[in-house]
């Protein structure tokens, strides 16, 4: 289970996020939306989670197979279309290393098995309550 705490105080839209393990990062809105652009926007954080998980999953898999995967570059585009009740995520993978087509095809399959990918493909239920 992932557990994150967020705090927003006197600076509009600047949010300090802290993980249970003590890691911290800043989220903010871009200037054109009233923020100061001090960190990733919430949508960028969501796209980043998929990119990070995919990257790590591919690196782990290639390492276990002793494949020459020197670098993975991933680009994620996330489009939210509220009027259509739809979200499109486009993920493009670039592999650097001495890999044949079969290995690249297998890495593509593995990318679709990363834990964040699986989470995003499932039905998601969000329960919200306030603390007394």
């Amino acid at each position: 289970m992932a557990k994150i705490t967020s705090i927003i105080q006197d600076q509009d839209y600047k949010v300090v996020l802290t993980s249970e393990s003590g890691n911290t990062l800043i989220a903010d809105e871009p200037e054109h939306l009233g923020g100061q652009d001090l960190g990733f926007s919430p949508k960028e954080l969501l796209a980043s989670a998929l990119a990070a998980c995919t990257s790590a999953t591919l690196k782990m898999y290639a390492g276990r197979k002793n494949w020459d995967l020197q670098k993975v570059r991933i680009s994620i585009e996330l489009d939210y279309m509220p009027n259509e009740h739809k979200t499109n995520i486009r993920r493009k993978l670039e592999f650097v290393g001495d890999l044949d087509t079969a290995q690249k095809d297998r890495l593509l399959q593995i990318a679709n098995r990363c834990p964040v990918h699986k989470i995003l493909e499932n039905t998601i239920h969000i329960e919200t309550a306030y603390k007394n």
Side-chain angles (χ1 to χ4, degrees):
M1 170 186 290
K3 185 175 179 182
I4 301 295
T5 302
S6 73
I7 297 175
I8 189 168
Q9 296 181 77
D10 55 345
Q11 288 180 287
D12 288 345
Y13 311 124
K14 177 187 171 193
V15 180
V16 177
L17 300 156
T18 306
S19 70
E20 195 169 36
S21 60
N23 294 305
T24 301
L25 61 87
I26 303 295
D28 197 359
E29 292 292 344
E31 289 179 4
H32 74 275
L33 293 177
Q36 298 176 63
D37 204 16
L38 297 172
F40 284 69
S41 73
K43 288 179 193 168
E44 289 171 333
L45 287 170
L46 181 59
S48 296
L50 179 60
C53 185
T54 303
S55 298
T57 298
L58 292 173
K59 190 69 172 171
M60 281 187 253
Y61 184 84
R64 283 190 216 122
K65 296 290 187 177
N66 292 316
W67 291 354
D68 183 39
L69 179 62
Q70 297 167 15
K71 184 190 313 185
V72 178
R73 182 176 291 117
I74 299 176
S75 69
I76 305 281
E77 294 177 1
L78 185 149
D79 291 322
Y80 171 57
M81 296 156 283
N83 293 337
E84 299 175 38
H85 302 288
K86 185 177 178 182
T87 302
N88 282 331
I89 299 174
R90 287 173 299 286
R91 176 176 53 189
K92 293 181 184 173
L93 310 175
E94 178 186 343
F95 305 122
V96 176
D98 185 20
L99 301 167
D100 61 32
T101 301
Q103 289 171 319
K104 290 176 184 179
D105 289 344
R106 183 64 179 149
L107 289 172
L108 183 63
Q109 293 173 346
I110 296 302
N112 292 331
R113 294 184 181 163
C114 89
V116 171
H117 181 111
K118 290 178 181 181
I119 289 168
L120 292 172
E121 283 192 323
N122 283 330
T123 300
I124 297 174
H125 173 76
I126 300 173
E127 181 180 317
T128 305
Y130 63 88
K131 189 174 182 177
N132 287 326

